[in-house]
Protein backbone atom coordinates (compact mmCIF):
# COMPACT_ATOMS: atom_id res chain seq x y z
CA UNK A 1 0.00 0.00 0.00
CA UNK A 2 1.46 3.33 -1.08
CA UNK A 3 -0.29 6.25 0.63
CA UNK A 4 1.09 8.64 -1.95
CA UNK A 5 -1.73 7.84 -4.38
CA UNK A 6 -4.57 7.96 -1.85
CA UNK A 7 -7.39 10.27 -3.04
CA UNK A 8 -5.36 11.48 -6.03
CA UNK A 9 -6.95 11.81 -9.47
CA UNK A 10 -4.90 9.76 -11.88
CA UNK A 11 -5.33 9.62 -15.61
CA UNK A 12 -3.72 6.59 -17.24
CA UNK A 13 -3.09 6.94 -20.98
CA UNK A 14 -2.62 3.66 -22.81
CA UNK A 15 -0.96 3.63 -26.23
CA UNK A 16 -0.61 0.99 -28.93
CA UNK A 17 2.27 -1.20 -27.81
CA UNK A 18 2.40 -4.90 -27.10
CA UNK A 19 2.69 -4.17 -23.35
CA UNK A 20 -0.73 -2.42 -23.31
CA UNK A 21 -2.17 -5.39 -21.37
CA UNK A 22 0.05 -4.48 -18.41
CA UNK A 23 -1.77 -1.15 -18.08
CA UNK A 24 -4.77 -3.11 -16.74
CA UNK A 25 -2.68 -4.26 -13.75
CA UNK A 26 -1.36 -0.72 -13.31
CA UNK A 27 -4.93 0.59 -13.07
CA UNK A 28 -5.82 -2.10 -10.53
CA UNK A 29 -2.76 -1.33 -8.41
CA UNK A 30 -3.56 2.39 -8.39
CA UNK A 31 -7.14 1.65 -7.35
CA UNK A 32 -5.87 -0.64 -4.58
CA UNK A 33 -3.86 2.35 -3.41
CA UNK A 34 -7.13 4.30 -3.17
CA UNK A 35 -6.50 6.57 -6.14
CA UNK A 36 -9.38 7.71 -8.38
CA UNK A 37 -8.47 6.46 -11.83
CA UNK A 38 -9.65 7.28 -15.34
CA UNK A 39 -8.23 5.88 -18.56
CA UNK A 40 -7.62 7.34 -22.01
CA UNK A 41 -6.61 5.22 -24.99
CA UNK A 42 -5.19 5.87 -28.44
CA UNK A 43 -6.96 4.31 -31.41
CA UNK A 44 -4.09 1.84 -31.84
CA UNK A 45 -4.15 0.87 -28.13
CA UNK A 46 -7.69 -0.43 -28.73
CA UNK A 47 -6.24 -2.98 -31.18
CA UNK A 48 -4.34 -4.51 -28.26
CA UNK A 49 -6.86 -4.32 -25.39
CA UNK A 50 -10.47 -3.17 -25.34
CA UNK A 51 -11.74 0.00 -23.70
CA UNK A 52 -14.31 -2.16 -21.90
CA UNK A 53 -11.58 -3.71 -19.74
CA UNK A 54 -10.53 -0.28 -18.52
CA UNK A 55 -14.10 0.99 -18.13
CA UNK A 56 -14.85 -1.93 -15.82
CA UNK A 57 -11.58 -1.62 -13.88
CA UNK A 58 -11.78 2.15 -13.44
CA UNK A 59 -15.60 2.24 -13.02
CA UNK A 60 -15.60 5.10 -15.48
CA UNK A 61 -16.10 5.86 -19.14
CA UNK A 62 -12.84 5.65 -21.13
CA UNK A 63 -11.58 8.57 -23.21
CA UNK A 64 -10.97 7.37 -26.76
CA UNK A 65 -12.34 10.05 -29.04
CA UNK A 66 -12.17 13.84 -29.07
CA UNK A 67 -15.85 14.03 -30.00
CA UNK A 68 -17.33 11.31 -27.82
CA UNK A 69 -18.88 13.61 -25.21
CA UNK A 70 -22.20 15.34 -25.47
CA UNK A 71 -21.79 18.54 -27.44
CA UNK A 72 -21.90 20.86 -24.44
CA UNK A 73 -18.92 19.23 -22.73
CA UNK A 74 -15.29 19.61 -23.81
CA UNK A 75 -14.15 16.32 -22.39
CA UNK A 76 -10.39 16.61 -22.90
CA UNK A 77 -10.27 19.96 -21.08
CA UNK A 78 -12.42 18.64 -18.21
CA UNK A 79 -10.19 15.58 -17.83
CA UNK A 80 -7.01 17.64 -18.14
CA UNK A 81 -8.14 19.80 -15.19
CA UNK A 82 -9.33 16.80 -13.19
CA UNK A 83 -5.98 14.95 -13.26
CA UNK A 84 -3.35 15.36 -10.52
CA UNK A 85 -1.01 12.89 -12.21
CA UNK A 86 -0.96 11.55 -15.77
CA UNK A 87 0.68 8.19 -16.49
CA UNK A 88 1.42 7.27 -20.12
CA UNK A 89 1.88 3.50 -19.85
CA UNK A 90 3.03 1.95 -22.05
CA UNK A 91 4.25 4.75 -24.30
CA UNK A 92 4.95 3.90 -27.92
CA UNK A 93 7.85 5.44 -29.84
CA UNK A 94 5.17 7.30 -31.77
CA UNK A 95 3.64 8.81 -28.59
CA UNK A 96 7.06 9.78 -27.22
CA UNK A 97 7.73 11.58 -30.50
CA UNK A 98 4.36 13.34 -30.53
CA UNK A 99 4.65 14.53 -26.93
CA UNK A 100 8.22 15.72 -27.42
CA UNK A 101 7.26 17.66 -30.55
CA UNK A 102 3.88 18.91 -29.32
CA UNK A 103 1.85 17.13 -31.99
CA UNK A 104 -1.73 17.15 -30.81
CA UNK A 105 -3.95 15.11 -33.09
CA UNK A 106 -6.21 12.97 -30.92
CA UNK A 107 -8.12 12.83 -27.63
CA UNK A 108 -5.20 11.76 -25.43
CA UNK A 109 -2.57 14.19 -26.74
CA UNK A 110 -5.13 17.02 -26.51
CA UNK A 111 -5.78 16.12 -22.88
CA UNK A 112 -2.12 15.80 -21.95
CA UNK A 113 -1.09 19.14 -23.40
CA UNK A 114 -4.00 20.90 -21.68
CA UNK A 115 -3.08 19.55 -18.25
CA UNK A 116 -0.78 20.96 -15.60
CA UNK A 117 -0.68 17.57 -13.79
CA UNK A 118 2.59 15.82 -12.93
CA UNK A 119 3.43 13.63 -15.92
CA UNK A 120 4.97 10.16 -15.91
CA UNK A 121 5.87 8.22 -19.04
CA UNK A 122 7.02 4.61 -19.38
CA UNK A 123 8.26 3.91 -22.92
CA UNK A 124 8.31 0.29 -24.06
CA UNK A 125 9.44 -0.91 -27.44
CA UNK A 126 11.86 -2.92 -29.52
CA UNK A 127 15.49 -2.23 -28.59
CA UNK A 128 16.41 -0.91 -32.03
CA UNK A 129 13.51 1.59 -31.88
CA UNK A 130 14.60 2.61 -28.38
CA UNK A 131 18.12 3.37 -29.54
CA UNK A 132 17.12 5.22 -32.70
CA UNK A 133 18.59 8.75 -32.73
CA UNK A 134 15.12 10.34 -32.93
CA UNK A 135 13.96 8.37 -29.86
CA UNK A 136 17.04 9.39 -27.86
CA UNK A 137 16.45 13.02 -28.85
CA UNK A 138 12.74 12.87 -28.00
CA UNK A 139 13.25 11.25 -24.59
CA UNK A 140 15.84 13.88 -23.79
CA UNK A 141 13.30 16.59 -24.70
CA UNK A 142 10.62 15.03 -22.48
CA UNK A 143 13.02 14.90 -19.52
CA UNK A 144 13.90 18.55 -19.95
CA UNK A 145 10.16 19.32 -20.19
CA UNK A 146 9.85 17.83 -16.65
CA UNK A 147 8.35 14.52 -17.67
CA UNK A 148 9.26 11.78 -15.23
CA UNK A 149 10.61 9.02 -17.45
CA UNK A 150 10.50 5.43 -16.18
CA UNK A 151 13.35 3.78 -18.06
CA UNK A 152 12.53 0.52 -19.84
CA UNK A 153 13.89 -2.67 -18.30
CA UNK A 154 16.32 -5.07 -19.87
CA UNK A 155 14.49 -8.36 -20.29
CA UNK A 156 12.72 -10.76 -22.61
CA UNK A 157 11.10 -8.75 -25.41
CA UNK A 158 8.09 -9.80 -27.50
CA UNK A 159 10.63 -10.27 -30.33
CA UNK A 160 11.95 -13.32 -28.48
CA UNK A 161 15.31 -12.17 -27.16
CA UNK A 162 16.75 -10.28 -24.16
CA UNK A 163 17.37 -6.57 -24.66
CA UNK A 164 16.38 -3.20 -23.26
CA UNK A 165 12.88 -2.01 -24.09
CA UNK A 166 10.62 -4.01 -21.81
CA UNK A 167 7.93 -2.27 -19.77
CA UNK A 168 8.79 -2.57 -16.04
CA UNK A 169 6.21 -4.40 -13.90
CA UNK A 170 3.24 -2.14 -12.97
CA UNK A 171 4.04 -2.22 -9.24
CA UNK A 172 7.61 -1.16 -9.97
CA UNK A 173 6.28 1.72 -12.11
CA UNK A 174 3.94 3.05 -9.45
CA UNK A 175 6.48 2.64 -6.63
CA UNK A 176 9.22 4.31 -8.61
CA UNK A 177 6.92 7.13 -9.72
CA UNK A 178 5.73 7.71 -6.12
CA UNK A 179 9.27 8.03 -4.81
CA UNK A 180 10.38 10.31 -7.61
CA UNK A 181 7.25 12.47 -7.48
CA UNK A 182 7.50 12.74 -3.69
CA UNK A 183 11.09 13.84 -4.14
CA UNK A 184 9.72 16.66 -6.32
CA UNK A 185 6.68 17.72 -4.38
CA UNK A 186 6.94 16.23 -0.84
CA UNK A 187 7.44 18.43 2.23
CA UNK A 188 10.84 16.86 2.87
CA UNK A 189 11.94 16.93 -0.78
CA UNK A 190 15.65 17.63 -1.03
CA UNK A 191 16.26 16.79 2.67
CA UNK A 192 18.60 14.01 3.71
CA UNK A 193 17.53 12.06 6.79
CA UNK A 194 19.76 9.48 8.48
CA UNK A 195 17.89 6.97 10.65
CA UNK A 196 19.22 4.09 12.74
CA UNK A 197 17.27 0.90 13.39
CA UNK A 198 17.58 -2.37 15.25
CA UNK A 199 19.61 -3.72 18.14
CA UNK A 200 23.36 -3.69 17.77
CA UNK A 201 25.38 -6.88 18.24
CA UNK A 202 28.56 -6.97 20.27
CA UNK A 203 30.66 -10.03 19.50
CA UNK A 204 31.82 -12.29 22.32
CA UNK A 205 33.44 -14.78 19.99
CA UNK A 206 32.91 -15.77 16.32
CA UNK A 207 29.48 -17.31 17.06
CA UNK A 208 28.04 -15.41 20.02
CA UNK A 209 27.09 -11.83 20.67
CA UNK A 210 25.40 -9.56 23.19
CA UNK A 211 22.32 -7.78 21.91
CA UNK A 212 18.91 -6.48 23.03
CA UNK A 213 15.24 -6.94 22.20
CA UNK A 214 14.95 -4.16 19.62
CA UNK A 215 13.41 -5.36 16.34
CA UNK A 216 14.09 -2.25 14.28
CA UNK A 217 10.37 -1.80 13.45
CA UNK A 218 10.26 1.80 14.70
CA UNK A 219 13.30 2.77 12.61
CA UNK A 220 11.81 1.15 9.51
CA UNK A 221 8.47 2.94 10.14
CA UNK A 222 10.35 6.25 10.39
CA UNK A 223 12.17 5.51 7.12
CA UNK A 224 8.83 4.78 5.43
CA UNK A 225 7.27 8.00 6.78
CA UNK A 226 10.28 10.06 5.65
CA UNK A 227 10.16 8.60 2.12
CA UNK A 228 6.44 9.38 1.95
CA UNK A 229 7.33 13.05 2.42
CA UNK A 230 9.99 12.92 -0.29
CA UNK A 231 13.13 12.78 1.86
CA UNK A 232 16.35 11.19 0.74
CA UNK A 233 16.60 8.48 3.42
CA UNK A 234 19.61 6.52 4.64
CA UNK A 235 18.74 3.73 7.07
CA UNK A 236 21.70 2.49 9.09
CA UNK A 237 20.31 -0.80 10.34
CA UNK A 238 21.31 -4.07 11.95
CA UNK A 239 18.75 -6.06 9.96
CA UNK A 240 17.08 -5.93 6.54
CA UNK A 241 13.57 -6.38 7.92
CA UNK A 242 11.62 -4.94 4.96
CA UNK A 243 12.54 -3.48 1.62
CA UNK A 244 11.36 0.11 1.56
CA UNK A 245 11.39 1.49 -1.92
CA UNK A 246 13.59 4.59 -2.14
CA UNK A 247 15.49 3.98 1.13
CA UNK A 248 19.26 3.45 0.98
CA UNK A 249 20.14 0.77 3.49
CA UNK A 250 23.53 0.58 5.22
CA UNK A 251 23.79 -2.75 7.03
CA UNK A 252 25.89 -2.75 10.22
CA UNK A 253 26.33 -5.02 13.20
CA UNK A 254 28.13 -3.49 16.19
CA UNK A 255 27.70 -0.10 17.82
CA UNK A 256 31.13 0.89 16.54
CA UNK A 257 30.11 0.03 12.95
CA UNK A 258 26.89 2.01 13.38
CA UNK A 259 28.79 4.94 14.88
CA UNK A 260 31.19 5.10 11.92
CA UNK A 261 28.38 4.82 9.34
CA UNK A 262 26.25 7.48 11.06
CA UNK A 263 29.06 10.03 11.36
CA UNK A 264 29.95 9.47 7.72
CA UNK A 265 26.35 9.98 6.55
CA UNK A 266 25.49 12.81 8.95
CA UNK A 267 27.98 15.24 7.45
CA UNK A 268 25.70 16.36 4.61
CA UNK A 269 22.39 15.35 6.27
CA UNK A 270 19.60 17.61 7.53
CA UNK A 271 18.29 15.27 10.20
CA UNK A 272 19.55 12.38 12.32
CA UNK A 273 17.09 10.09 14.11
CA UNK A 274 18.56 7.54 16.47
CA UNK A 275 15.87 4.87 16.75
CA UNK A 276 18.28 1.94 17.12
CA UNK A 277 18.87 0.36 20.52
CA UNK A 278 22.63 0.59 20.75
CA UNK A 279 24.63 -1.35 23.31
CA UNK A 280 26.24 0.91 25.87
CA UNK A 281 28.93 -1.73 26.47
CA UNK A 282 30.86 -4.32 24.49
CA UNK A 283 33.21 -7.10 25.54
CA UNK A 284 36.70 -5.70 26.00
CA UNK A 285 37.91 -8.37 23.64
CA UNK A 286 36.06 -10.62 21.22
CA UNK A 287 37.67 -14.07 21.40
CA UNK A 288 39.15 -15.21 18.09
CA UNK A 289 37.92 -18.77 18.61
CA UNK A 290 34.69 -20.05 20.11
CA UNK A 291 34.85 -19.87 23.91
CA UNK A 292 34.91 -23.41 25.31
CA UNK A 293 32.93 -24.50 28.35
CA UNK A 294 35.14 -25.25 31.33
CA UNK A 295 33.18 -27.52 33.57
CA UNK A 296 32.40 -26.20 37.02
CA UNK A 297 33.80 -22.72 36.30
CA UNK A 298 31.93 -19.45 35.97
CA UNK A 299 32.81 -17.22 33.06
CA UNK A 300 33.40 -13.53 33.64
CA UNK A 301 33.17 -11.18 30.70
CA UNK A 302 34.64 -7.75 31.09
CA UNK A 303 32.76 -5.00 29.27
CA UNK A 304 33.89 -1.56 28.13
CA UNK A 305 31.88 1.44 27.04
CA UNK A 306 30.87 1.92 23.45
CA UNK A 307 30.87 5.30 21.69
CA UNK A 308 27.70 7.31 22.40
CA UNK A 309 26.31 7.87 18.89
CA UNK A 310 23.56 10.32 19.85
CA UNK A 311 25.84 12.44 22.04
CA UNK A 312 28.47 12.57 19.35
CA UNK A 313 26.02 13.57 16.63
CA UNK A 314 24.67 16.19 19.04
CA UNK A 315 28.20 17.56 19.49
CA UNK A 316 28.86 17.64 15.74
CA UNK A 317 25.57 19.15 14.61
CA UNK A 318 25.37 22.57 13.03
CA UNK A 319 22.57 25.12 13.54
CA UNK A 320 20.84 23.78 10.42
CA UNK A 321 20.83 20.13 11.45
CA UNK A 322 18.19 18.48 13.62
CA UNK A 323 18.92 15.61 15.99
CA UNK A 324 16.18 13.33 17.28
CA UNK A 325 16.83 10.70 19.93
CA UNK A 326 14.80 7.85 21.36
CA UNK A 327 14.74 6.88 25.00
CA UNK A 328 13.55 3.37 25.79
CA UNK A 329 13.15 3.20 29.54
CA UNK A 330 11.40 0.96 32.03
CA UNK A 331 11.08 3.50 34.87
CA UNK A 332 10.88 7.30 35.33
CA UNK A 333 10.57 7.53 31.56
CA UNK A 334 9.90 11.26 31.28
CA UNK A 335 12.50 12.29 33.78
CA UNK A 336 15.27 10.30 32.03
CA UNK A 337 14.09 11.49 28.63
CA UNK A 338 14.20 15.14 29.64
CA UNK A 339 17.74 14.73 30.95
CA UNK A 340 18.79 12.91 27.79
CA UNK A 341 17.40 15.68 25.56
CA UNK A 342 19.64 18.24 27.24
CA UNK A 343 22.71 16.05 27.83
CA UNK A 344 22.84 14.85 24.23
CA UNK A 345 22.16 18.28 22.74
CA UNK A 346 19.19 16.82 20.85
CA UNK A 347 16.33 18.87 19.40
CA UNK A 348 13.68 16.26 20.03
CA UNK A 349 13.45 13.17 22.16
CA UNK A 350 10.91 10.41 21.79
CA UNK A 351 10.38 8.62 25.08
CA UNK A 352 8.84 5.18 25.13
CA UNK A 353 8.03 3.00 28.06
CA UNK A 354 9.24 -0.47 27.16
CA UNK A 355 8.08 -2.03 30.41
CA UNK A 356 4.70 -3.05 28.95
CA UNK A 357 4.23 -5.99 26.60
CA UNK A 358 1.78 -4.45 24.10
CA UNK A 359 4.09 -1.65 22.99
CA UNK A 360 7.78 -0.91 22.49
CA UNK A 361 10.25 -3.68 21.66
CA UNK A 362 9.26 -5.97 18.81
CA UNK A 363 5.65 -4.79 18.95
CA UNK A 364 3.65 -3.33 16.03
CA UNK A 365 2.51 -0.56 18.35
CA UNK A 366 4.04 2.01 20.56
CA UNK A 367 3.01 4.68 23.01
CA UNK A 368 5.35 7.63 23.22
CA UNK A 369 5.84 11.12 24.54
CA UNK A 370 7.61 13.55 22.23
CA UNK A 371 9.75 16.11 24.02
CA UNK A 372 11.08 19.13 22.17
CA UNK A 373 13.17 22.01 23.44
CA UNK A 374 10.64 24.63 22.35
CA UNK A 375 7.27 22.89 22.75
CA UNK A 376 5.13 21.21 25.39
CA UNK A 377 5.47 17.41 25.53
CA UNK A 378 3.09 15.61 23.18
CA UNK A 379 1.68 12.29 24.32
CA UNK A 380 0.73 9.77 21.63
CA UNK A 381 -1.37 6.95 23.06
CA UNK A 382 -1.05 3.34 21.90
CA UNK A 383 -0.88 3.52 18.07
CA UNK A 384 0.72 1.62 15.19
CA UNK A 385 4.40 2.50 14.81
CA UNK A 386 3.81 3.88 11.31
CA UNK A 387 1.24 6.37 12.67
CA UNK A 388 3.70 7.50 15.34
CA UNK A 389 6.46 7.74 12.74
CA UNK A 390 4.24 9.98 10.57
CA UNK A 391 3.53 12.30 13.53
CA UNK A 392 7.25 12.56 14.29
CA UNK A 393 8.06 13.24 10.64
CA UNK A 394 5.34 15.90 10.49
CA UNK A 395 6.98 17.68 13.44
CA UNK A 396 10.39 17.41 11.78
CA UNK A 397 9.04 18.84 8.51
CA UNK A 398 7.54 21.77 10.43
CA UNK A 399 10.79 22.42 12.29
CA UNK A 400 12.81 22.33 9.06
CA UNK A 401 10.35 24.67 7.33
C1 LIG B 1 1.88 -6.19 -33.00
C2 LIG B 1 2.42 -4.79 -32.82
C3 LIG B 1 3.12 -4.48 -31.69
C4 LIG B 1 3.64 -3.20 -31.49
N1 LIG B 1 4.32 -2.92 -30.33
C5 LIG B 1 4.87 -1.73 -30.17
C6 LIG B 1 5.61 -1.42 -28.99
O1 LIG B 1 5.75 -2.26 -28.09
N2 LIG B 1 6.13 -0.18 -28.88
C7 LIG B 1 6.00 0.78 -29.83
O2 LIG B 1 6.55 1.86 -29.66
N3 LIG B 1 5.28 0.52 -30.96
C8 LIG B 1 4.71 -0.68 -31.14
N4 LIG B 1 4.00 -0.95 -32.28
C9 LIG B 1 3.83 0.13 -33.28
C10 LIG B 1 2.70 1.07 -32.88
O3 LIG B 1 1.50 0.35 -32.70
C11 LIG B 1 2.53 2.17 -33.92
O4 LIG B 1 3.68 2.99 -33.95
C12 LIG B 1 1.29 3.01 -33.69
O5 LIG B 1 1.27 4.05 -34.66
C13 LIG B 1 1.27 3.63 -32.32
O6 LIG B 1 0.11 4.42 -32.14
P1 LIG B 1 -0.20 5.24 -30.83
O7 LIG B 1 1.11 5.82 -30.37
O8 LIG B 1 -1.17 6.27 -31.23
O9 LIG B 1 -0.79 4.29 -29.87
C14 LIG B 1 3.46 -2.21 -32.48
C15 LIG B 1 2.73 -2.53 -33.63
C16 LIG B 1 2.23 -3.80 -33.81
C17 LIG B 1 1.47 -4.10 -35.07
Amino acid sequence: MNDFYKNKNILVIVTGGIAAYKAATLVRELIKNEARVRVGMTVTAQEFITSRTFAVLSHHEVLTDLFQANEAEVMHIEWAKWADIIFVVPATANMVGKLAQGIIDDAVTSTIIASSAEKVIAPAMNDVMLNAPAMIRNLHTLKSDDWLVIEPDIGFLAEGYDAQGRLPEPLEIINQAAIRLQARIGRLAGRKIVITAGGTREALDPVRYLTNRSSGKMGFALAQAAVELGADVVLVTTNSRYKIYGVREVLVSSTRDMHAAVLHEFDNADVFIGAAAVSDYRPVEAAKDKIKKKSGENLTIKLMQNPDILAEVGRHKTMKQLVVGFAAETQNVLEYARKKLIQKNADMLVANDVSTTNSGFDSENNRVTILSRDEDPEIISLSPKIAIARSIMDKIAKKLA
Side-chain angles (χ1 to χ4, degrees), residues 89-110:
V89 179
T92 54
N94 175 56
M95 184 54 74
V96 169
K98 286 192 346 189
L99 295 171
Q101 305 307 319
I103 296 170
I104 311 304
D105 62 354
D106 63 3
V108 300
T109 47
S110 303

Side-chain angles (χ1 to χ4, degrees), residues 220 235 237 239-244 247-251:
F220 276 78
L235 186 64
T237 173
N239 63 61
S240 286
R241 171 166 287 279
Y242 322 103
K243 169 95 189 87
I244 303 176
V247 169
R248 178 157 63 85
E249 227 177 73
V250 178
L251 206 57

Side-chain angles (χ1 to χ4, degrees), residues 122-134:
M125 63 201 65
N126 166 285
D127 56 319
V128 183
M129 283 166 101
L130 185 67
N131 289 304

Side-chain angles (χ1 to χ4, degrees), residues 61-63 65-66 68-69 73-80 111:
E61 172 185 18
V62 174
L63 176 71
D65 180 357
L66 258 182
Q68 79 190 59
E73 193 190 346
V74 185
M75 200 166 162
H76 65 282
I77 299 293
E78 286 303 315
W79 284 43
T111 309

Side-chain angles (χ1 to χ4, degrees), residues 213 329-330 352-361 363 365-367 382:
R213 290 186 50 216
E329 304 288 354
T330 53
N352 52 341
D353 184 346
V354 290
S355 62
T356 54
T357 50
N358 61 353
S359 71
F361 283 147
S363 162
N365 300 313
N366 217 349
R367 59 164 69 83
L382 192 67

